[in-house]
Amino acid sequence: MEGTEAAVVRTQHGIHRYGFFRLMIIWILALPTLWYSLNAAGELRVDVGQWGDHAIVRGVHGRESNPLEDYRWTKEHTTISLPNLSNRYRILQIRTHGWRPEGMPTPSVQFISANRQWGALQTERTLRTYSILLPESTLSSTVEIALTSETFTPPDDTRTVGIAIDWIALRALDGPGSLASGQFAGQALLLGLIFVLIALLALPGAIAPACGLLASTALIGMNVIEPLWVGVGLIQWLTVVTLLAGATRFVAPRLVRALERMNSADPLLRPLPETWITEAQARVAWALLVAALLVRLAGAVHPLFDARDIPVHTRWLSTVAHGQLFFYSTPSEFQNRQTFNPPAAYIVLLPLHLALGDMRLTVQAGTAALDALIAVLLLLIARELGLSARAGLFAMALYAALPISMTMMWWGFAANAIAQTWWVLLLWLLLRLTRAPDRSLLALFAIVALLCFTTHVGALVTLVAFLGMIIVSGWRVLPRNGWRAMVAGLLVAGLFAVPMYFIAAAAPLANAPRSPTTLDPIASFAEGLVVWSERVDLVQHALTLGFLPPILALAAAGLPLLFTARKRHPLQRTIVLSMLAVCVVFFFSYVFLQLLTRYIYFATPLVCLAAGAVLARLAVRPVGRWMTYSLTLFVVWSGVVLWFGGVLLRIKPSLVPLTQ
């Protein structure tokens, strides 16, 4: 027996070495095309005053425009940082003017490149294009040019301005580029690290080389379409892939072993001896988690991307970092009335802020990482609900790039996204605690409940409604010790959360003047009757955009499977009915009272699990397997295109799924 196991291990190692060899061959063959893609463009051009220029030009004032151009005024010291794709790109062109009032000379500009004075020019009052030959720089991944301008303060203005820049370009010289390029070396390293990550994931069959080909095509394709995309975000992407590869090497084996030790749970609340998930499935689960993290973090850390609400969250993170835990806003959930903002989301992000030192990066990367963790939580919840491991894996795959989650990330509703992670974690702990009460589980349940209560006001509204239904209905279906443990954990969390709201929020708001948007139920109901059909259409549109029609159809078909699962949890039907009831209640509150809660986003776990249950049934047969894989890839592709279209092209995803 031991000899057989050793033979199996040797065979697996041989397969992994063969897979790594194939990936290495693909990497070597991709390098010439990668080099060509870095030399294909005739120029690198940045329109100053347009979206994305903030990643290239620093030390400038805000965007301005006139009928002919968009531009920015420089400060005294300005830095231009462009990716060093090849030593061919050495002609710096800058279209600018140095307007001054009559009688005042136009400013001169000095250029510093490679840490030495490189040139100077005298600007004119009207726009003109200037060209400068830069020194050769092969090893650096970026070309840094520092501008020092003579400045003045315009009338009726407090700014000191230098020159107005319309656009900047880095043009190529004739002749081939050198292989000794910082960007070529960096991007070859990035592609190599991606291949190492793929090899470490030990993906089965032809999936690994297919992923390698996809990564090569994506990287080269981005260089051909817009060379700045990879060049600007190279360091950040190298960091993300390195961290994921390190986690796969050192963390994944422990997680895989932990998943393998998980047994099935029966309706009598006792673990069954059979293994719920195989080693191969556990590895797939880790690969799906890595995919969810990679998709989110690659966009969140890219210098071109600023989430829509990032200024709000960086301001609140700064407030919390300076010791102030109480601040206010006017959320749409309460018809724009002044409301206390709980600080838990920003407290959780503080350790990451200490590590990164950048508030924008802290909010976006922290939110992305926490949101990705929902994928693995769906797998754990599937086990508690008596679903198969395959159903949990399909739920993970759907969530990896679900359009509604990508939309939430792009708009930057950070506190709401973090609250969603806490609520899904709370759901798993609720199922575990009521199945087998335990002191450590009770303590963790209370802590996570406290985080849920103090992260986001809008999410709190839906969660309280859900938990209220669970408490009332759970009395009849749960064992007494399970019900008492659940109530005790929620009471402990409430004892800490309620004083925060009443002491910090109720007193200041009690004396605040009433807002003109104060809720008038009768008027809102009358208006709801008038626009009923329009709002129903918007909700249908929101569901379609957020989940896609095939997934909605599968989720509808999967709800009966959740009800009739052979090894279902005692709370299973109650949870499903309560989530549906919450959606119905807040749908009518939106239609007739104009109170906005993101109940569609709240229902995301239920949709993924129900759809995953159906996909797992269909995947049993070969024909169904191809159909389910194709459908899953379609959902992932839709979410990835939506996300990176917003990150790299600033294509705004529809807000409808998050406002209905």
Side-chain angles (χ1 to χ4, degrees):
M1 188 68 179
E2 292 180 359
T4 303
E5 292 179 355
V8 170
V9 170
R10 285 195 299 270
T11 302
Q12 290 177 342
H13 281 287
I15 293 172
H16 293 164
R17 284 197 300 270
Y18 177 63
F20 182 77
F21 177 75
R22 287 191 297 178
L23 288 172
M24 186 171 64
I25 294 298
I26 295 173
W27 179 73
I28 293 172
L29 293 176
L31 292 181
T33 310
L34 176 63
W35 176 84
Y36 174 78
S37 70
L38 293 172
N39 288 270
E43 67 174 12
L44 306 180
R45 182 185 175 101
V46 178
D47 287 315
V48 180
Q50 295 288 334
W51 173 81
D53 65 347
H54 63 280
I56 305 297
V57 185
R58 295 176 178 84
V60 291
H61 293 288
R63 298 169 186 165
E64 299 183 38
S65 62
N66 58 40
L68 298 179
E69 66 269 334
D70 301 300
Y71 60 94
R72 289 182 188 261
W73 285 99
T74 66
K75 300 178 182 178
E76 182 179 1
H77 300 288
T78 301
T79 302
I80 300 171
S81 179
L82 289 162
N84 183 20
L85 301 186
S86 167
N87 62 345
R88 293 181 65 225
Y89 300 97
R90 292 177 53 198
I91 301 176
L92 174 68
Q93 291 190 320
I94 179 169
R95 184 165 175 80
T96 182
H97 71 74
W99 179 88
R100 293 293 187 267
E102 291 294 335
M104 183 178 293
T106 57
S108 63
V109 182
Q110 296 183 356
F111 292 83
I112 298 175
S113 180
N115 296 319
R116 55 178 171 163
Q117 184 79 30
W118 191 251
L121 62 85
Q122 186 73 34
T123 58
E124 299 182 1
R125 297 179 186 276
T126 57
L127 279 171
R128 179 182 170 185
T129 302
Y130 301 87
S131 299
I132 301 170
L133 180 65
L134 298 176
E136 185 173 354
S137 176
T138 57
L139 298 180
S140 173
S141 63
T142 58
V143 177
E144 298 275 353
I145 304 104
L147 280 62
T148 301
S149 311
E150 296 176 343
T151 61
F152 90 113
T153 302
D156 302 323
D157 201 341
T158 59
R159 301 175 302 167
T160 56
V161 301
I163 60 174
I165 301 179
D166 180 21
W167 54 258
I168 299 165
L170 203 57
R171 294 190 61 83
L173 297 171
D174 293 334
S178 169
L179 288 175
S181 163
Q183 275 290 323
F184 175 69
Q187 294 195 25
L189 176 61
L190 174 63
L191 189 59
L193 285 173
I194 292 173
F195 282 11
V196 169
L197 174 60
I198 295 171
L200 289 172
L201 291 174
L203 299 172
I207 296 178
C211 289
L213 289 172
L214 178 62
S216 303
T217 304
L219 185 64
I220 293 168
M222 284 190 285
N223 283 331
V224 172
I225 296 171
E226 174 50 75
L228 292 175
W229 287 347
V230 181
V232 169
L234 178 61
I235 300 300
Q236 290 80 1
W237 284 2
L238 279 170
T239 303
V240 168
V241 176
T242 302
L243 290 174
L244 290 176
T248 301
R249 174 64 180 84
F250 298 105
V251 178
R254 294 176 174 81
L255 180 62
V256 168
R257 286 195 295 269
L259 288 175
E260 279 188 280
R261 288 194 296 267
M262 293 172 55
N263 297 326
S264 300
D266 71 353
L268 299 177
L269 313 180
R270 295 175 304 186
L272 292 175
E274 71 260 20
T275 300
W276 181 70
I277 189 170
T278 65
E279 180 185 359
Q281 289 175 325
R283 289 187 177 278
V284 171
W286 174 261
L288 291 172
L289 176 59
V290 168
L293 285 166
L294 182 61
V295 167
R296 286 161 175 77
L297 289 174
V301 304
H302 198 283
L304 288 178
F305 177 61
D306 285 338
R308 177 64 175 76
D309 276 7
I310 193 64
V312 175
H313 296 292
T314 52
R315 184 174 70 249
W316 289 344
L317 178 61
S318 176
T319 300
V320 173
H322 286 85
Q324 175 60 264
L325 299 182
F326 309 120
F327 43 93
Y328 302 86
S329 66
T330 54
S332 57
E333 288 89 343
F334 296 97
Q335 289 208 341
N336 300 319
R337 295 201 65 190
Q338 189 182 32
T339 306
F340 168 64
N341 265 47
Y346 309 100
I347 295 174
V348 169
L349 292 175
L350 283 179
L352 184 61
H353 173 54
L354 292 176
L356 299 178
D358 183 289
M359 291 195 175
R360 165 195 162 274
L361 195 58
T362 297
V363 172
Q364 294 187 171
T367 304
L370 288 171
D371 184 73
L373 294 180
I374 292 178
V376 74
L377 290 173
L378 291 176
L379 178 68
L380 300 176
I381 292 172
R383 172 181 176 265
E384 298 299 324
L385 296 181
L387 300 178
S388 66
R390 179 176 287 179
L393 292 175
F394 273 115
M396 288 186 71
L398 293 176
Y399 189 79
L402 197 65
I404 194 169
S405 298
M406 300 295 98
T407 302
M408 176 68 81
M409 293 287 300
W410 189 92
W411 283 93
F413 299 150
N416 201 164
I418 294 173
Q420 181 84 342
T421 302
W422 299 145
W423 120 249
V424 178
L425 177 57
L426 184 73
L427 177 59
W428 174 59
L429 292 172
L430 173 67
L431 292 167
R432 286 287 307 275
L433 182 67
T434 52
R435 179 171 62 85
D438 174 84
R439 288 185 178 180
S440 58
L441 270 178
L442 176 60
L444 185 57
F445 177 79
I447 292 171
V448 175
L450 178 60
L451 290 172
C452 288
F453 294 161
T454 57
T455 295
H456 187 265
V457 174
L460 175 63
V461 173
T462 51
L463 182 62
V464 167
F466 172 76
L467 291 176
M469 296 178 188
I470 293 295
I471 291 172
V472 172
S473 303
W475 172 263
R476 295 178 301 162
V477 298
L478 282 175
R480 287 295 164 258
N481 60 342
W483 186 86
R484 293 192 190 98
M486 173 182 65
V487 173
L490 295 175
L491 286 177
V492 170
L495 287 176
F496 287 94
V498 170
M500 175 179 290
Y501 281 95
F502 278 94
I503 296 173
L509 294 177
N511 298 322
R514 291 178 66 82
S515 166
T517 60
T518 297
L519 178 64
D520 184 344
I522 297 177
S524 297
F525 184 80
E527 181 182 351
L529 291 176
V530 175
V531 297
W532 159 265
S533 60
E534 177 183 340
R535 289 180 178 170
V536 170
D537 289 341
L538 281 174
V539 171
Q540 293 175 346
H541 193 46
L543 290 168
T544 301
L545 291 175
F547 299 110
L548 304 178
I551 301 305
L552 290 174
L554 289 172
L559 289 177
L561 297 180
L562 296 181
F563 271 88
T564 59
R566 185 171 58 88
K567 301 175 184 177
R568 63 179 177 272
H569 192 282
L571 270 180
Q572 188 152 328
R573 292 179 175 177
T574 302
I575 286 174
V576 173
L577 289 174
S578 297
M579 291 185 69
L580 293 175
V582 165
C583 292
V584 171
V585 167
F586 286 104
F587 163 73
F588 283 107
S589 72
Y590 160 69
V591 170
F592 292 113
L593 300 178
Q594 302 180 49
L595 294 177
L596 302 179
T597 55
R598 298 188 176 104
Y599 61 90
I600 295 177
Y601 182 61
F602 178 81
T604 298
L606 179 63
V607 172
C608 291
L609 289 166
V614 177
L615 290 172
R617 292 285 188 94
L618 295 175
V620 173
R621 298 181 180 275
V623 175
R625 189 175 302 125
W626 283 108
M627 291 175 57
T628 55
Y629 291 166
S630 299
L631 180 58
T632 304
L633 288 175
F634 168 71
V635 174
V636 172
W637 172 256
S638 300
V640 168
V641 170
L642 181 73
W643 173 231
F644 284 101
V647 169
L648 299 176
L649 296 173
R650 204 62 177 179
I651 299 174
K652 184 189 301 184
S654 173
L655 191 57
V656 171
L658 303 177
T659 56
Q660 306 306 315

